[in-house]
Amino acid sequence: MTDDGILVVSEDACRELVGRKDAFDAVEAVFAAMARGDAYNFPVIREAIGYADALYGFKSGFDRAGLALGLKSGGYWPGNAAKGLTNHQSTVFLFDPDTGRLKALVGGNYLTAVRTAAASSVSIAHLARPDARVLGMVGAGHQSAFQLRAAAEQRSFEKVVAWNFHPEMLPALGKVAAEIGLPFEAVERERLGAEADVIITITSAFEPLMMRDWIKPGTHIACMGTDTKGKQEVDAALVAAATVFTDEVAQSISIGEAQHAVAQGLKAEADITPIGAVINGAHPGRNSEAEITLFDGTGVGLQDLAVASVAADLAKAGGRAQVVRL
Ligand code: NAD
């Protein structure tokens, strides 16, 4: 057997090669494979390492349909910003499922943002009302710009309303809206709920930011920030009232937005549907115009492997990868 070597795909190459449509298609396919039982995530490791205030860990899995095997390794280094580096750092390792040999090393920072935005946009594509016109953004950090760009491609939005805990961060998100030709207005949260047909929450909040009574019938809400025990972005009563979909039920009830409603007995695990079931046609998705749908996007390793595989394939085809041998 020939040794093809290991592809090394840089952050720059990922940014140039992997577009939003590539990420959408890869994430949609892997969610579908998860719901069919063709792909599964291994248990997540995440540890405070007691050095540099860092959180470090692994997300890993295997997709038998897409033949992606590997892991994303990395975490959060709060001191990085002062060094001119991104606080979130990650690298994806892809292995050949036939031999176990390391196939590719792929920069994971850009890919994490683009795969997270793809997840909410897959949920909008499958669950939001077709006539949705106002997009509500709760959060204005690093991920929010990716979320806004991806969501804007899923419906004929006419306006963005936004709120952030740190209001001084909102103008940067407003610039993104302007770039894609959407009017942008900073509003209070109650008004955001009253106006928005689709809401994305993407914050590091530990308490509910959007309350049940502020959300109008028919809204689709994608909760993307809650990925750890204790975090929370919306009222547990809102989760209880909504029809809830997720990337992975086990994560949704333990580290996702549904953790609080489930712990309080307001929502049963059995009432949370993997979005892949909707993609596969096994679940109808939205049932009525008035229903509130909620996507609990917790972030799974298989999303990382899916987009990193696309990056590695495109980099190989386009001669954009370095090749090294161990
Ligand atoms: P960031 O640090 O760039 O931005 C943080 C955002 O949270 C800002 O809008 C900030 O104003 C807001 N915020 C901070 N403290 C808050 C508080 N106490 N109450 C309300 N809002 C507060 O982070 P980011 O890279 O944009 O990521 C946002 C969140 O998304 C993080 O919690 C991150 O862990 C999560 N995330 C989830 C996934 C996933 O797959 N679901 C993937 C990546 C990141």
Side-chain angles (χ1 to χ4, degrees):
M1 192 169 186
T2 56
D3 180 1
D4 291 339
I6 299 157
L7 302 174
V8 179
V9 188
S10 68
E11 285 286 342
D12 283 347
C14 289
R15 242 186 305 271
E16 286 161 29
L17 295 169
V18 183
R20 282 188 291 278
K21 173 84 169 78
D22 301 308
F24 183 102
D25 291 345
V27 167
E28 186 183 51
V30 83
F31 285 166
M34 284 165 61
R36 288 194 311 268
D38 283 340
Y40 68 111
N41 294 287
F42 306 159
V44 174
I45 306 283
R46 196 162 161 89
E47 297 283 326
I49 59 173
Y51 183 78
D53 282 335
L55 286 174
Y56 173 72
F58 311 95
K59 283 188 166 183
S60 54
F62 179 44
D63 177 359
R64 236 185 347 254
L67 290 184
L69 173 69
L71 61 95
K72 178 169 87 168
S73 170
Y76 186 72
W77 272 258
N80 275 7
K83 300 173 188 163
L85 298 169
T86 310
N87 287 353
H88 291 274
Q89 289 293 328
S90 59
T91 310
V92 181
F93 297 66
L94 296 174
F95 294 87
D96 180 344
D98 289 309
T99 62
R101 297 181 68 158
L102 181 60
K103 220 169 66 166
L105 279 176
V106 186
N109 294 348
Y110 163 77
L111 291 181
T112 297
V114 88
R115 67 76 149 148
T116 305
S120 65
S121 75
V122 165
S123 85
I124 294 167
H126 288 278
L127 297 169
R129 284 171 50 146
D131 60 353
R133 292 292 175 266
V134 179
L135 174 62
M137 294 293 305
V138 177
H142 176 69
Q143 302 279 337
S144 65
F146 292 88
Q147 292 283 333
L148 173 53
R149 286 183 196 281
E153 289 167 352
Q154 301 310 320
R155 290 292 183 268
S156 302
F157 290 114
E158 292 168 356
K159 181 181 174 184
V160 178
V161 287
W163 177 86
N164 193 44
F165 185 70
H166 302 101
E168 68 279 8
M169 294 168 80
L170 282 167
L173 190 61
K175 273 192 192 148
V176 176
E179 275 169 35
I180 53 181
L182 283 174
F184 180 91
E185 199 180 347
V187 296
E188 288 308 318
R189 288 174 285 169
E190 291 91 324
R191 205 178 125 206
L192 190 151
E195 285 200 20
D197 305 307
V198 170
I199 299 173
I200 297 175
T201 60
I202 183 73
T203 73
S204 358
F206 278 80
E207 63 204 353
L209 303 173
M210 295 301 295
M211 308 311 283
R212 163 71 189 96
D213 294 344
W214 303 344
I215 306 296
K216 62 181 185 181
T219 300
H220 173 64
I221 177 159
C223 298
M224 303 305 297
T226 299
D227 54 2
T228 306
K229 198 167 168 50
K231 278 187 177 176
Q232 185 172 11
E233 294 189 293
V234 304
D235 190 7
L238 173 56
V239 177
T243 308
V244 178
F245 300 84
T246 186
D247 41 22
E248 188 182 88
V249 174
Q251 285 203 166
S252 170
I253 63 168
S254 56
I255 59 169
E257 193 60 44
Q259 62 180 288
H260 307 285
V262 170
Q264 291 166 34
L266 300 173
K267 196 86 186 171
E269 177 179 347
D271 291 334
I272 301 176
T273 305
I275 185 120
V278 181
I279 298 165
N280 290 330
H283 186 286
R286 167 175 293 278
N287 274 316
S288 74
E289 288 194 349
E291 184 178 27
I292 295 173
T293 52
L294 185 149
F295 175 65
D296 187 359
T298 64
V300 293
L302 283 168
Q303 283 170 262
D304 299 300
L305 304 187
V307 289
S309 296
V310 173
D313 290 346
L314 292 174
K316 189 176 181 185
R320 289 286 280 116
Q322 296 171 54
V323 180
V324 296
R325 289 183 169 78
L326 287 181

